[in-house]
Amino acid sequence: MILTADSVVAHRTARRKTHNGWHTTYIGQNRNTLKEGDAVPSSDGLYPMAFLVEKEAGAVVHPHFHQADQYQVVVQGSGRLGIHDIASVAVHYTDAYSAYGPIVAAEEGVAWFTLRNAWDPGARYMPEHRRQLREARAKYQHREATCGPLPPLTDAELAALTAPSMMAVIAEAPDGVGTWRYTVPADGSVVGPDPATGGGQFWLVASGSAGLPGGALLPAQSVVFVAPDDAAATLLAGPGGADLICMQFPTRARD
């Protein structure tokens, strides 16, 4: 079940104004797009979700947690997430029931992808939900992992590439959590990690363009989801090369 979402198409068809920015759905339903009467996806099964959040200058998202494992990937602007300075491309991972924040947008605003491999009904803010967080500690421990900012390669830097490269930017944990950066010269290719070692992967085109064999080229800020039972993904760079981020979720028991 490999899914792709083209950033140009998503912005043209699924970008919606919010009270302090924009929200763009890429893959799956989320609390902002689920309509009244729609069936709520099961939280026990694999359910990829990807959406882009764009916040205006000075916007604040207060400390909270989610019931799903989650990556957040900053792709534009800057600010702070908890104690971390964030800018493009910064990657932030949290286990389910791990509180984090606040997120504070700087003067130019900030935009990030939220990526999950399971349904989540939305943020649970602190301190109102502190008791629920404590009750979850029997099953979930607090975990955060971060890397970056990793500025996307410019067109000139992509053009200068002569061979593919891979670098682990969040070291792979025993349960499969890990993040890798791939740089690929024009018309080159890379093969990602074996998805069976984790709970699914999201790929982000940080700059340039890339696609799957036989598929269309995806521009910058497009995403690809690879399920745990898929073969390792092959990503083909476009004529200008590609800068790619691969993020893998942990293995968990799912239906």
Side-chain angles (χ1 to χ4, degrees):
M1 181 184 63
I2 296 183
L3 305 174
T4 64
D6 183 306
S7 61
V8 173
V9 174
H11 272 251
R12 187 172 66 241
T13 62
R15 191 170 186 242
R16 302 289 183 266
K17 191 76 174 73
T18 67
H19 74 284
N20 60 1
W22 297 84
H23 181 282
T24 306
T25 298
Y26 276 60
I27 292 175
Q29 295 273 32
N30 55 72
R31 67 178 182 83
N32 294 289
T33 62
L34 204 65
K35 297 180 175 59
E36 185 176 353
D38 287 351
V40 176
S42 170
S43 59
D44 295 326
L46 186 72
Y47 188 83
M49 304 171 65
F51 54 88
L52 181 68
V53 177
E54 299 168 81
K55 293 295 186 183
E56 297 172 350
V60 177
V61 179
H62 295 288
H64 63 280
F65 63 92
H66 292 270
Q67 73 176 31
D69 300 327
Q70 173 180 276
Y71 277 98
Q72 289 168 298
V73 191
V74 178
V75 293
Q76 189 174 339
S78 63
R80 291 187 65 78
L81 195 164
I83 62 172
H84 307 289
D85 291 323
I86 53 175
S88 180
V89 170
V91 179
H92 178 255
Y93 171 79
T94 49
D95 269 353
Y97 296 97
S98 289
Y100 65 92
I103 304 173
V104 182
E107 291 183 0
E108 71 270 38
V110 68
W112 69 85
F113 276 99
T114 295
L115 308 171
R116 302 180 184 127
N117 67 343
W119 169 255
D120 185 273
R124 302 176 192 189
Y125 290 95
M126 301 294 284
E128 300 95 308
H129 292 90
R130 189 181 303 278
R131 179 177 178 180
Q132 184 180 16
L133 189 64
R134 288 173 175 166
E135 291 171 348
R137 283 289 168 260
K139 183 177 180 181
Y140 298 94
Q141 297 301 310
H142 179 89
R143 176 168 58 170
E144 289 185 78
T146 64
C147 72
L150 306 169
L153 296 187
T154 64
D155 290 346
E157 289 170 330
L158 288 172
L161 296 175
T162 58
S165 71
M166 183 274 286
M167 176 176 64
V169 292
I170 294 178
E172 186 174 1
D175 63 358
V177 169
T179 301
W180 301 266
R181 184 183 193 178
Y182 293 83
T183 59
V184 196
D187 302 316
S189 66
V190 291
V191 179
D194 181 0
T197 63
Q201 301 167 355
F202 270 103
W203 290 74
L204 169 72
V205 182
S207 64
S209 62
L212 299 167
L217 282 178
L218 300 169
Q221 295 192 19
S222 297
V223 297
V224 175
F225 178 77
V226 183
D229 56 357
D230 286 319
T234 297
L235 274 292
L236 309 175
D243 185 1
L244 309 170
I245 307 292
C246 175
M247 294 153 282
Q248 182 164 274
F249 290 89
T251 54
R252 296 196 190 277
R254 300 196 188 281
D255 294 340

